[in-house]
Amino acid sequence: MGTQGPDDDKYHSKVDERTAEEKAIDAWLPITSSRNAKWWYSAFHNVTAMVGAGVLSLPFAMSELGWGPGVTVMIISWIVTFYTLWQMVEMHEMVPGKRFDRYHELGQHAFGEKLGLWIVVPQQLVVEVGVDIVYMVTGGKSLKKFHDLVCADCKKIRLTYFIMIFSSAHFVLSHLPNFNSISGVSLAAAVMSLSYSTIAWGASVDKGVQKDVQYGYKATTTAGTVFNFFSALGDVAFAYAGHNVVLEIQSTIPSTPEKPSKVPMWRGVIVAYVVVALCYFPVALIGYWMFGNKVDDNILITLEKPIWLIAMANMFVVVHVIGSYQIYAMPVFDMIETVLYKKLKFRPSWYVRFVSRNIYVGFTMFVAISFPFFGGLLGFFGGFAFAPTTYFLPCIMWLAIYKPRKFSLSWWTNWV
């Protein structure tokens, strides 16, 4: 079974009704092929998945929410997503001897074979493909910003070419077979996210509170204010979007009845969430405190000087976004390959993988070049697919599967 330990085999053999062919396919698919991850893998995979470039737009989201609602929304989101992440980790192995390696497998268990697929897969795809496209644009923009800062007198190069340069990295990295093989990329990305978050709030503190700082709403009409408010809620939902890949990350950790995978996974998640808090709260609160409602939707743009530091932060963003792209692309590759092998009966081989993955990277690059304002649609995607997969679906599945006693604590928490 690929790189699984002997204990894993014993554990599976009791309940394993899969045919030899299915086993061979599972040993080839990106998510189930390698199960020898350590708990710290889950920590930095989760940091990379969670702390997106979304953190840089948090001061802007704060400026649209205002002090009271802003702080409340940030704290509530942190607590709620932490709780729903715990539920996902618990539900990974709630049926003895079976592991839900993918979000939609859990959905199918909760809502039935057909319905579960239709509820989860479209939303999960919107999230994962959406994030990848946004990261293509973000990577390109950060490269462009780096180029413009370092070489102010150079000829201006169009964003399109920077997106192409950025995507060239993915035409190579996308051929790493599974989650464990991208752990190096992911670790680098996790370190980068801490670095540029620290630069963002550190440079803000250095600038100090601006002279004419204002904390009122920017929009002049009520409709405008309300619209901005909801848009900001979408941005915050986007900032906490790690749940779409959590089961897929957990499936790489070895598991036996004595040592279930949820123990090391949970340890990794706690570390990841501490890092998330260290990245999010200082950036959001200090950024808004210093610049008020004049802050840009990417705080690195507001901080123009010192040039070398901001250029460095932009480069860190590029490295981090490379890692995040891969984390979100892996479940999509898994879905594409599952369809190719199980439905269309292709033989598992490297060239099927080579062609399918290159097509996917090419597709995200093409959309990113065509719609460079894709980030503006984030609020929409945030509300449409991020909020359900992160905030509601885990609770609904918990209620459907565990059926907690009416009016018990678990029942109330999930319904609320």
Side-chain angles (χ1 to χ4, degrees):
M1 293 278 295
T3 41
Q4 300 182 348
D7 297 344
D8 269 18
D9 277 348
K10 262 185 269 166
Y11 183 30
H12 281 294
S13 57
K14 289 181 218 156
V15 288
D16 220 338
E17 292 111 23
R18 296 172 304 165
T19 61
E21 186 191 4
E22 281 178 342
K23 277 184 191 168
I25 292 176
D26 279 346
W28 176 261
L29 286 174
I31 287 177
T32 40
S33 64
S34 171
R35 292 197 198 268
N36 51 6
K38 307 280 183 282
W39 72 267
W40 55 85
Y41 283 25
S42 81
F44 48 73
H45 280 328
N46 275 308
V47 171
T48 306
M50 187 84 68
V51 184
V55 62
L56 298 172
S57 66
L58 286 176
F60 181 70
M62 285 286 299
S63 76
E64 293 184 329
L65 293 166
W67 273 121
V71 176
T72 317
V73 166
M74 289 285 297
I75 292 172
I76 288 177
S77 291
W78 193 85
I79 294 167
V80 170
T81 53
F82 195 38
Y83 172 68
T84 51
L85 202 60
W86 171 78
Q87 288 182 315
M88 299 287 282
V89 172
E90 284 290 315
M91 288 191 285
H92 179 72
E93 293 179 288
M94 60 195 176
V95 177
K98 184 165 169 50
R99 296 182 69 170
F100 296 112
D101 293 322
R102 300 167 180 85
Y103 205 141
H104 66 86
E105 289 177 11
L106 185 60
Q108 285 172 304
H109 181 73
F111 308 120
E113 287 292 311
K114 265 280 171 54
L115 185 64
L117 214 54
W118 281 106
I119 290 179
V120 177
V121 173
Q123 297 198 44
Q124 201 184 359
L125 275 176
V126 165
V127 171
E128 283 158 1
V129 179
V131 166
D132 279 347
I133 295 168
V134 169
Y135 282 165
M136 274 280 179
V137 179
T138 310
K141 277 186 176 162
S142 297
L143 276 175
K144 181 171 163 51
K145 190 95 185 6
F146 176 79
H147 171 264
D148 296 350
L149 281 167
V150 172
C151 178
D153 311 326
C154 295
K155 184 169 180 267
K156 291 280 179 268
I157 301 177
R158 280 171 48 202
L159 179 63
T160 305
Y161 298 115
F162 282 109
I163 294 177
M164 286 175 170
I165 295 167
F166 178 73
S167 65
S168 64
H170 297 294
F171 280 113
V172 178
L173 289 174
S174 293
H175 302 294
L176 290 169
N178 51 38
F179 263 125
N180 287 347
S181 60
I182 56 173
S183 53
V185 181
S186 179
L187 173 64
V191 173
M192 292 300 150
S193 56
L194 250 176
S195 314
Y196 67 71
S197 300
T198 312
I199 290 178
W201 67 260
S204 302
V205 169
D206 185 56
K207 283 214 159 176
V209 181
Q210 301 300 298
K211 284 195 189 73
D212 50 354
V213 66
Q214 290 175 329
Y215 299 114
Y217 291 129
K218 257 183 299 207
T220 44
T221 60
T222 315
T225 308
V226 171
F227 183 76
N228 285 351
F229 192 87
F230 283 117
S231 164
L233 288 179
D235 284 344
V236 175
F238 175 66
Y240 287 102
H243 293 53
N244 287 281
V245 287
V246 71
L247 291 177
E248 285 82 350
I249 293 169
Q250 191 171 347
S251 73
T252 60
I253 296 177
S255 181
T256 57
E258 296 75 51
K259 284 199 201 138
S261 63
K262 67 183 180 191
V263 181
M265 179 68 184
W266 184 234
R267 196 183 299 163
V269 168
I270 290 176
V271 172
Y273 253 76
V274 171
V275 175
V276 166
L278 289 175
C279 288
Y280 282 16
F281 290 102
V283 174
L285 304 177
I286 294 173
Y288 180 46
W289 182 26
M290 298 304 161
F291 301 107
N293 60 15
K294 286 205 173 66
V295 72
D296 289 288
D297 61 356
N298 174 347
I299 188 157
L300 292 181
I301 295 172
T302 317
L303 301 159
E304 283 143 359
K305 296 184 172 54
I307 286 178
W308 63 271
L309 188 68
I310 306 307
M312 192 165 80
N314 275 299
M315 224 44 222
F316 287 171
V317 173
V318 172
V319 175
H320 174 226
V321 170
I322 288 177
S324 290
Y325 182 97
Q326 291 301 324
I327 293 260
Y328 280 97
M330 205 50 84
V332 183
F333 293 151
D334 186 83
M335 284 187 205
I336 294 171
E337 290 178 26
T338 305
V339 171
L340 289 174
Y341 303 146
K342 293 189 176 173
K343 283 271 191 299
L344 306 174
K345 300 293 181 210
F346 277 87
R347 293 264 325 276
S349 63
W350 70 266
Y351 47 82
V352 173
R353 180 171 278 180
F354 182 80
V355 173
S356 62
R357 292 189 178 191
N358 277 342
I359 289 174
Y360 175 76
V361 176
F363 166 75
T364 52
M365 178 185 83
F366 177 73
V367 177
I369 290 170
S370 316
F371 306 105
F373 51 83
F374 201 83
L377 303 172
L378 264 194
F380 169 71
F381 280 121
F384 177 68
F386 287 91
T389 49
T390 308
Y391 295 80
F392 327 134
L393 267 181
C395 294
I396 296 168
M397 293 198 282
W398 186 271
L399 287 167
I401 294 167
Y402 280 102
K403 303 190 174 55
R405 210 176 64 249
K406 263 195 185 155
F407 308 118
S408 64
L409 181 65
S410 167
W411 188 86
W412 275 113
T413 330
N414 287 303
W415 276 110
V416 169

